[in-house]
Amino acid sequence: MKNDIPYAPLLRQTTEHALAYLQALPDAPVGATATLEQLRERLGYPLPNSPQDPAKVIRQLVANVEGGLTGSAGGRFFAWVIGGSVPAALSADWLTSTWDQNAGMFTVAPAAAVVEEVCGRWLLELLALPATASFALVTGCQMAHVTCLAAARNAVLAKHGWDVEQKGLGGAPAIRVVTGDQRHGTIERALRLLGMGRDCVIDIPVAPNGQLTAAALESVLVAAPDNPTIVLLQAGDLNTGSFDPYLELIPVAHRFGAWVHVDGAFGLWAAASPAYRHFTVGMDQADSWATDGHKWLNVPYDCGYAIVADREAHYRSHSHHANYLTHSEIARDQVDWNPEYSRRGRGFPTYAAIASLGREGITQIVDNCCRHAHAIVTGAGKLDGVEVLHVPHINQGLLRFLAPKPGATDEDHDRLTEMITARIVASGEAMFACTTWRGIRCMRVSVSGWQTDENDVDRTVKAIAAALKS
Ligand SMILES: *Cc1c(COP(=O)(O)O)cnc(C)c1O
């Protein structure tokens, strides 16, 4: 081809590699098949001295990762909450690397800045959050927690006359973080990164339905009514998908001047479906929300969203000005809202995902995942020796496998559950992981990939049945 750039053949070949991967995906083993030793041996050759042909490097890379990739982009990956990539998002992600924009500021990468502005507006609409909220596109929900909680830290200390951006935490009034004991581990990591430490967390045991109760919350808050406080609620518990009762809890927290943060890594997306948004009623009254793009929206890794109702606190905690930078007077500079400095043009895949799916397409992904999770759990529940511990009300369910011997104990069931789960994974037909819930081992069923269909559900239930028989 005329005017081709010298490395055009490499990029065309790369497209072929990508297509070959995607074409093989539906029937490839879902779990990894290569061992650690194999991967190290294949990939870990000595540091090359001289340049190598890029086409050969890529060919070898593709060959050497064989068996070391998990099929999370496909339809039968149910371990952890991991989505695939919808076509437009994958495409836009390729272009994001091609364009190689430094999406830190408008003047450096104008289109990337405006695309993120639009993503923010669309996300707030989709998730039914206040249109005036500020936002940041970060690497994942954990960093969304960091971003939101930095704003929270700023605001709750400002109320006590303490400027944390200037003075830091030494000598500051201690902040307590009050939450249900089923919260995600990333909360704690976010708090450690923010210098608040593990000990600031007060974990309240949740009710049997997985929810924090207003009475329990109030009894903790009332013990130290004047402390700077952050209350952390869940939208989608990682095991059961349960939602806290926002209408009851948020007014209690606000009565004590607390900042309310919602961990909605995947569950926030229930708000995008008319069938499931009743779980999120009142959630818009919170002060900040963290969620992911790489889970239920099915954009490629890595992508999360931090959303903050108090724009001023968000800005005070993140904004950055330097005399060698050209700050825009009129546009939105991401550096003022994001923890990173230089960063990927993360908005492009999100923009393409939302534009291509529209509201209806996103609703459909949410609804399909919930329906398929329900079908897998209830389908497996009909098999002998399977106990259903949680029937999904959204996309998360729990099963365990019961040891058949008389007088079997929970430890026996735990062991069998681990074993059957490993067998299913070894069959290559589907991928699940175990979790500990209320002290017992369960196989968690998480459906968040856009590719999963009825055929995948059938194959998965059959694979569970086969693992029980073998
Ligand atoms: C996945 C998850 C997180 C962490 O999100 P990352 O995108 O991995 O940083 C936090 N909370 C919940 C409930 C999750 O499911």
Side-chain angles (χ1 to χ4, degrees), residues 81 139-143 145 184-187 234-238 263-266 291-292 294-295 301 303-304:
V81 189
T139 52
C141 192
Q142 137 115 55
M143 283 312 292
H145 290 326
H184 200 267
T186 50
I187 292 297
Q234 291 213 96
D237 166 85
L238 83 157
D263 178 359
F266 58 94
T291 190
D292 269 315
H294 54 219
K295 288 181 179 172
Y301 282 93
C303 184

Side-chain angles (χ1 to χ4, degrees), residues 151-166:
R153 181 180 69 168
N154 179 294
V156 298
L157 289 177
K159 273 195 199 166
H160 285 70
W162 189 270
D163 178 357
V164 72
E165 311 310 326
Q166 191 63 35

Side-chain angles (χ1 to χ4, degrees), residues 296-314:
W296 235 352
L297 184 59
N298 282 264
V299 306
Y301 282 93
D302 41 24
C303 184
Y305 313 117
I307 300 167
V308 182
D310 180 347
R311 302 175 65 88
E312 293 301 315
H314 187 180

